Structure formats: C-alpha cells, structure tokens
Amino acid sequence: PFSEGSTPSYLKGEYPGDYGWDTAGFSADPEKFAAYRELELIHARWAMLGALGCITPELLSKFGGVEFGESVWWKAGAQIFADDGLNYLGNPSLIHAQSIIYTLAAQVVLMGLAEAYRVNGGPLGEGLDKLYPGEAFDPLGLADDPDTFAELKVKEIKNGRLAMFAMFGFFVQALVTQKGPVENLLDHLSDPSNINGFTDAATAYCTNDPLGSALC
C-alpha cells in the first residue's frame, strides 16, 4: 500500500522481500543494492540465531529445570570472568571457557575462516552462490524445487527482519527493565495493564531521573 503506483523503476522484484518500497533511495545503484542485500541477509541470519540464543537459556532455566550460573543473555557472558569460567548450557563437559582472550581469538579465527569460505569457496564446493550456496550446504534438499526455494527465501528474509527488530527490543528491554525477555513477557502476561512498555519506561525514567525525580 505504501508504494502503489509509485514503485521506483530500479526495484524490479528480483530480490526476495522486495515490495517496491525504498523511500530513501538506498537501492538506486545496482551494485550498492546487491551489497546492501548481502549485508541485510547476513545480519538477518545472525539475528535469528542471536534471538534464539537470547531466549533459550532463560526458557531452559525457567521451564526445563536446567541449572545455569546465569541464564539472562546480557549477564551470561560475564561468567567467563568468574573463577570457574563459563560452562556452555551449564555443562562443563561441553564447552568450559575460562579465558576471554582465547575465546575471542577462537571466534575471530573461526569466523574469518567461515567468511573466507563463503566468499571464495572451499572443499565443499567452488563457484557457489555466496548467499545461497546449496549443494553440500543443503543436505535436506530444501532448495531442490525452484518454487519452494523462492518461497523459503522470502520467509527467511521476513523472519530475519523480524529477528533484527527483536534483538533491538531485547537491548532496550535490558536497559529499561534490567531483566531478560522471557521474564519480561511473563511479568507482562501476569498484569498487562500495569506492566507494559509504557509503565516500564516511566519507571525506568523515574529511577534515573536527571531532574532528581521532580517529574515523577
């Protein structure tokens, strides 16, 4: 509805999730359009993984009986500085991280190798699409049917965009409520009229009021 009758000529629908809306003109240059789409898709995939990673420990802790040192996503990482280090999923036999330096180095190396592989190819395939490689990276054959593949591309970018907004929401919630997203949801469901975004924002402002609570 926002672009009816005024779709820019350079938006031709060749990319999944392209609905002809580009008020800022970011997609006018084809090369920049391709680069922006690559960045958006990579960030969308990381956001989906990140959102899942933010809520899973809290869900397991509250409803699965799994014991964590700290299950809230924005506090969990700090456990690596504790004497006992950080245990993945609360289990020391999985990953027992005790050094932030070694952990950071391992992440840089692994992510660098993964990105180099994605861009330049490797033993599992050469000359593959950088964003949708398929072949060995699609063991379930989800992309074998072209129509299904096109539909999955649209679903991926839509869910990825939603996940990016969700991650932003998690950040804001953490700053305002000092709680995790699952606990925030349970609090809201227990008393929707008095525990919501507006009341939390007002409470957070009054707690940190720069005018000395003169407005609260």
Side-chain angles (χ1 to χ4, degrees), residues 88-175:
Y88 186 71
L89 290 178
N91 188 341
S93 62
L94 292 177
I95 297 178
H96 182 60
Q98 293 183 292
S99 170
I100 187 66
I101 302 299
Y102 289 139
T103 302
L104 179 61
Q107 289 179 337
V108 169
V109 171
L110 292 174
M111 288 302 302
L113 290 174
E115 271 296 284
Y117 192 174
R118 182 180 72 83
V119 174
N120 302 310
L124 292 180
E126 296 288 348
L128 302 179
D129 190 295
K130 292 190 296 184
L131 297 178
Y132 306 101
E135 296 189 11
F137 295 94
D138 183 24
L140 299 179
L142 298 176
D144 290 347
D145 180 69
D147 293 334
T148 301
F149 189 28
E151 182 181 356
L152 290 175
K153 285 181 178 180
V154 174
K155 289 181 177 180
E156 179 185 37
I157 195 63
K158 282 185 173 182
N159 282 281
R161 288 167 176 169
L162 182 61
M164 287 189 279
F165 273 105
M167 286 302 304
F168 178 70
F170 292 168
F171 297 151
V172 174
Q173 282 181 316
L175 289 170

Side-chain angles (χ1 to χ4, degrees), residues 173 177 179-200:
Q173 282 181 316
T177 69
K179 297 179 180 179
V182 176
E183 187 174 358
N184 276 317
L185 176 61
L186 295 176
D187 289 346
H188 171 67
L189 293 176
S190 69
D191 188 4
S193 340
N194 296 311
I195 303 178
N196 52 62
F198 297 106
T199 58
D200 283 341

